[in-house]
Amino acid sequence: MELFAVFLPLFGAFCAGLLVFVRSSKTSTPNRIDTAAQWVTSGAMILAAVAAGVVFWDVVLGNNPRTVELFTWIDSGAMEVSWAIKLDTLSSVMLFMVTTVAAVIHVYSIGYMHHDHSVPRFMSYLSLFTFFMLMLVSADNLVQLFFGWEGVGLCSYLLIGFWYDRPAANAAAIKAFVVNRVGDFGFALGIFAIFVLFQSVNYDTIFAAVPGKADATMVVFGTEFHAITICAVLLFIGAMGKSAQLGLHTWLPDAMEGPTPVSALIHAATMVTAGVFMVVRMSPLFEYSDTALTLVTVVGASTAIFAATVACVQNDIKRVIAYSTCSQLGYMFFAAGVSAYSAGIFHLVGHAFFKALLFLGAGSVIHAMSDEQDMRKMGGLWKLIPVTYALMLIGSLSLAGIWPFAGYYSKDVILEAAFAANTLAGGYAFWLGIAAAFLTAFYSWRLLIMTFHGTSRADSNVLSQVHESPKIMILPMFVLATGAMYMGYLGFESFVGHDAEHFWGQAILVLPSHPALEAAHHVPLWVKYLPLAVGGAGIALAYVLYMGMPSLPGVIAGRVQGLYQFLLNKWYFDELYDLIFVRPAFMLGRGFWKGGDGALIDGVGPDGISAAVKYLAKRAGAIQSGYLYHYALAMLTGLVVLVTWYLFGHGG
């Protein structure tokens, strides 16, 4: 059954890929081929989700964790790598979440991409993307994990740049690919360091050996460092790139250039959650490095507040939700940083449902508004598309952490664990998390009010065509809404409650010296209720500013113009990177091109030889004068040289 869960999306991708070539033939019927590609990939994903549900039931509820070895992949010296499927609670939860959300997005795409000219290619990429994520979460070693890791990076490039006739989409795809390669370089170094330290890349072997290597050191650039810290920090750099943490986050908002289902899949179930999963999977390693855990906590908390501040001033509906993803990923990371790994996964799963719901809801709005994404050109839509409005309201309530929705349970336990960690980094994460919770509620309701309430600011022609999305787009959103409403309540006891230890089994390791999650259940009442209070305050502020006094936000922006521009320009990270990295790289590249390749290699090589031959030919051509005495002189000179050479060379 696990083979069906993992490989059915690959089968769907392969079939849709073949249909790409069939569609290009002159005898094909495009509509029928498009429909076939949509249903074969969607059907395969639905079956994969059912299979993943069966696997989850067997592994978790049936207490049957196992590793299914498919074949030996690499066997070279000490390097022994199998292609295997690891089934424990962590991988089973991820398999079920990824396949379920991906299946919903596939079905939604049938309606959303109906009029596109490259439907088979899109569906093939989407299924391939899902397969690589499933390969990643089911890996039993770091090499297989890296295979899936790079696979989702490749597919993100293909999907973000799907509409390759748009320069902005091409630029966004390249940006995502390059920024992720920066993180992946650190990740690869981390894998190398682990192999040097443990002589293995297999999880079970590494985890069993970690206690014995707790005090081991590693020499880097002539300096001795704690070996496990080096390994953990390098792995986390990879996670920072894939999960868009502060510093390597710049690609994520630009990924909105892809079709909306792509945004939903990247932000909810695949790609960005890979970094969080990897840190949790490697918990037996991170637990032995307080330095690495502190770094994870600080970076996660900083990302949460950074992205929340930027989301408050964005006007593109998809970009608001994109920065929201970045912020929520920060929560997941600082949960892992205070050793509340299960709380991070709890939030990851709940976030997958309500974030996919918000993106698909945004897609429904964009569909209704004739591809308009600027919220300043919307307003008053709730009467025209009430179902979409209700569904996005559910997603926003969960995102804002309002009881009893999924986000309330997971976000609260993360903040409580950060407080209970009783460390400087934990305190930093708690208070920034509280501030981010306030801003999250604010920008969530700012989005709802600007999009659905007030007086419409849309063009009359656009407004006259506003309509509810077809059932094929609406019904999948109900599945996500169900998860956003009930996931928190149903999963609390198992994921982070009294049953957590039995639920997770050996999938997650937390040392007795890191009791933050256990202590989270005993924090003061004000800590428990503060996130809900600030969430309510954020919603109230949004109502006051955008419904009660809609002219006030503009006045405030004018009064604090510098701050407003700072946030609107995303803290100027893009401009800073352009100044420090992009321009020097272009200058260096141009120097190598003009000076190295052009002047040196081509000038001395093929161009130089060509010029020399041309010059010599021209000089030789000048000898061909047509005068007889010139030729006689040349013959006489040659004869003299020949006779001289013979006499002196052989005559003696």
Side-chain angles (χ1 to χ4, degrees), residues 349-368:
V349 175
H351 175 266
F353 285 99
F354 65 72
K355 186 51 56 71
L357 176 60
L358 285 170
F359 266 114
L360 298 189
S364 185
V365 171
I366 295 166
H367 177 80

Side-chain angles (χ1 to χ4, degrees), residues 194 227-237 285-286 289 292-293 296:
I194 286 174
I228 290 178
T229 297
I230 292 293
C231 297
V233 168
L234 289 171
L235 292 179
F236 178 60
I237 291 172
L285 188 76
F286 278 83
S289 175
L293 288 175
V296 174

Side-chain angles (χ1 to χ4, degrees), residues 4-285:
F4 288 108
V6 174
F7 288 102
L8 272 174
L10 180 63
F11 171 77
F14 179 75
C15 292
L18 290 178
L19 291 174
V20 172
F21 298 100
V22 175
R23 195 182 193 276
S24 62
S25 66
K26 295 180 179 179
T27 58
S28 67
T29 308
N31 289 338
R32 291 184 178 181
I33 293 173
D34 290 351
T35 301
Q38 289 170 332
W39 285 110
V40 72
T41 51
S42 299
M45 277 307 315
I46 292 170
L47 292 174
V50 173
V54 174
V55 169
F56 176 83
W57 186 276
D58 182 38
V59 172
V60 180
L61 302 180
N63 194 27
N64 185 28
R66 59 191 182 274
T67 298
V68 181
E69 186 172 324
L70 303 180
F71 57 87
T72 300
W73 189 13
I74 300 172
D75 188 356
S76 178
M79 176 71 79
E80 296 181 5
V81 180
S82 296
W83 192 286
I85 298 175
K86 184 179 180 65
L87 297 173
D88 59 5
T89 302
L90 179 59
S91 59
S92 299
V93 167
M94 293 296 294
L95 280 174
F96 183 64
M97 183 274 291
V98 171
T99 52
T100 302
V101 174
V104 168
I105 293 171
H106 273 69
V107 175
Y108 178 93
S109 299
I110 295 174
Y112 191 87
M113 300 296 291
H114 178 69
H115 299 293
D116 198 88
H117 298 296
S118 302
V119 169
R121 179 167 63 91
F122 177 81
M123 301 305 294
S124 179
Y125 289 168
L126 210 63
S127 289
L128 188 63
F129 197 10
T130 307
F131 163 72
F132 279 121
M133 187 66 188
L134 295 173
M135 214 62 256
L136 187 157
V137 301
S138 64
D140 86 324
N141 60 80
L142 287 167
V143 174
Q144 189 179 332
L145 175 85
F146 191 73
F147 171 82
W149 192 272
E150 293 302 303
V152 295
L154 168 65
C155 290
S156 70
Y157 170 79
L158 296 173
L159 285 166
I160 294 169
F162 178 76
W163 288 319
Y164 53 81
D165 54 339
R166 300 180 182 180
N170 286 329
I174 293 172
K175 187 176 184 179
F177 193 82
V178 171
V179 173
N180 271 277
R181 296 296 73 74
V182 174
D184 293 352
F185 180 66
F187 187 44
L189 290 178
I191 296 174
F192 299 155
I194 286 174
F195 183 75
V196 169
L197 185 62
F198 297 100
Q199 292 299 295
S200 177
V201 292
N202 294 306
Y203 293 153
D204 293 341
T205 305
I206 295 168
F207 298 161
V210 168
K213 300 286 188 178
D215 298 321
T217 58
M218 186 177 289
V219 177
V220 181
F221 298 122
T223 305
E224 201 171 62
F225 294 95
H226 184 228
I228 290 178
T229 297
I230 292 293
C231 297
V233 168
L234 289 171
L235 292 179
F236 178 60
I237 291 172
M240 286 177 63
K242 201 63 74 188
S243 295
Q245 293 300 281
L246 190 64
L248 295 177
H249 67 280
T250 54
W251 68 270
L252 190 62
D254 290 0
M256 299 302 98
E257 293 295 336
T260 297
V262 174
S263 303
L265 196 58
I266 288 177
H267 287 250
T270 62
M271 186 84 170
V272 297
T273 60
V276 179
F277 166 80
M278 185 269 289
V279 171
V280 175
R281 170 61 79 198
M282 301 303 293
S283 61
L285 188 76

Side-chain angles (χ1 to χ4, degrees), residues 459-479:
D459 181 84
S460 58
N461 293 328
V462 173
L463 198 61
S464 64
Q465 300 178 22
V466 173
H467 59 281
E468 195 66 82
S469 296
K471 292 181 180 179
I472 196 71
M473 293 171 62
I474 291 294
L475 291 178
M477 294 165 63
F478 276 96
V479 177

Side-chain angles (χ1 to χ4, degrees), residues 8 63 66 105 137 188 194 209 264 271 361 388 396 398 402 432 490 507 532 557 568 583 612 615 629 637 642:
L8 272 174
N63 194 27
R66 59 191 182 274
I105 293 171
V137 301
I194 286 174
M271 186 84 170
T388 298
S396 298
S398 190
I402 304 302
L432 288 190
L490 296 175
L532 183 61
L568 191 62
R583 292 183 188 178
Y615 173 78
Y629 65 87
T637 302
L642 182 62

